[in-house]
Amino acid sequence: MNWARITITTSDEASEAVANYLFEMDAFGVELKDAADSTTSLIAYYPLDDRVNTRVKNLKNFLSKLPTWGIQTYPAKIDLKRVESEAWTEAWKSSFPPQQIGERLLIAPTWHDISSDETNILIRLDPGMAFGTGYHPTTRLSLKMLEQTIKLDQNVADIGTGSGILAIAAVKLGAKHVDAIELDPTAIPVAETNFAINGVTEQISLCQGDGIKAVQDKYHLIVGNILTKAILPIIPYCPSRLHPEGHIIFSGILESELEQVQEVLIENGLQCVDVTREAEEEVTWIALRAQFASLS
């Protein structure tokens, strides 16, 4: 069977929105590659049939709308190529080897024959179905900070759960319960499948909603691996959902956006207490941990 490989080169800012749209168009796997010029290439695969041209047209229309939503897409280039089935499936799988993150977390796709042991916490997650599979700096930063912060029997809120990786990690690191919230309805069944594969379904409540506004409980830990444009409007809702000694972890922040996020945290009685960075080429991503300012 022949396949169509669609490569979209766009801004880092627009990459998550574009990835979600590719999933909505039933992509068979999406790979993200950061470049040195603050751009990201997203590679998606589709059956080579009479719907390919329509998909490309719809994608162009979607890209043209993003600036009206405050998301810049420059340079927004689309490339279409024909590939053989075995060529892309094996090459795609080889791009996702098992990886160790932090001290104990081991992320591995289901096609790798790996057994969990006493030193590793194994998370099974196939790339290419929803945002957040451990192969992007923002997810790695989130996982490392989550591992350093979480304590046994805590209640956790995962905002923008995507693939569900942070919710899964939270449970396997000892969380009592996780509320996983996702705005995109296409990601919900993916997260459900991943929860089942990892045996954590009973400890996680999954719902579709607009971030922390969708829940009313108080949490020991609120985590969100989302873009700064999504982080800023939810910060004012966090204090009322956070335990007095709780923590907030945000990832998906660019270096140039850190000061703005810190200012909004302060305006809402919160204080950044830890910042970690990971650079890929010339792009530097940031994750931060915050708590109530009175505890700093």
Side-chain angles (χ1 to χ4, degrees), residues 169-238:
V171 171
K172 294 201 171 191
L173 287 166
K176 180 180 180 181
H177 183 81
V178 179
D179 280 338
I181 304 101
E182 174 57 52
L183 182 62
D184 181 5
T186 64
I188 297 295
V190 177
E192 288 177 333
T193 298
N194 289 331
F195 296 157
I197 290 172
N198 287 277
V200 296
T201 301
E202 294 300 318
Q203 295 100 321
I204 300 175
S205 296
L206 176 64
C207 72
Q208 183 185 351
D210 188 5
I212 197 71
K213 294 181 286 184
V215 292
Q216 298 296 327
D217 291 340
K218 283 189 178 288
Y219 301 94
H220 302 96
L221 183 58
I222 298 171
V223 297
N225 179 24
I226 48 182
L227 296 176
T228 297
K229 286 183 178 295
I231 291 171
L232 294 176
I234 70 171
I235 289 176
Y237 294 89
C238 289

Side-chain angles (χ1 to χ4, degrees), residues 269-296:
L270 300 164
Q271 180 71 44
C272 176
V273 294
D274 190 19
V275 173
T276 59
R277 294 171 170 84
E278 182 172 335
E280 253 192 8
E281 303 293 343
E282 295 181 3
V283 179
T284 299
W285 292 99
I286 286 175
L288 63 80
R289 180 168 58 237
Q291 63 184 33
F292 283 110
S294 59
L295 299 176
S296 301

Side-chain angles (χ1 to χ4, degrees), residues 114-141:
I114 293 180
S115 298
S116 182
D117 56 38
E118 294 182 357
T119 59
N120 284 322
I121 295 173
L122 178 62
I123 298 176
R124 289 287 192 182
L125 214 63
D126 285 344
M129 292 304 294
F131 183 78
T133 49
Y135 295 91
H136 192 271
T138 64
T139 310
R140 290 194 293 268
L141 288 168

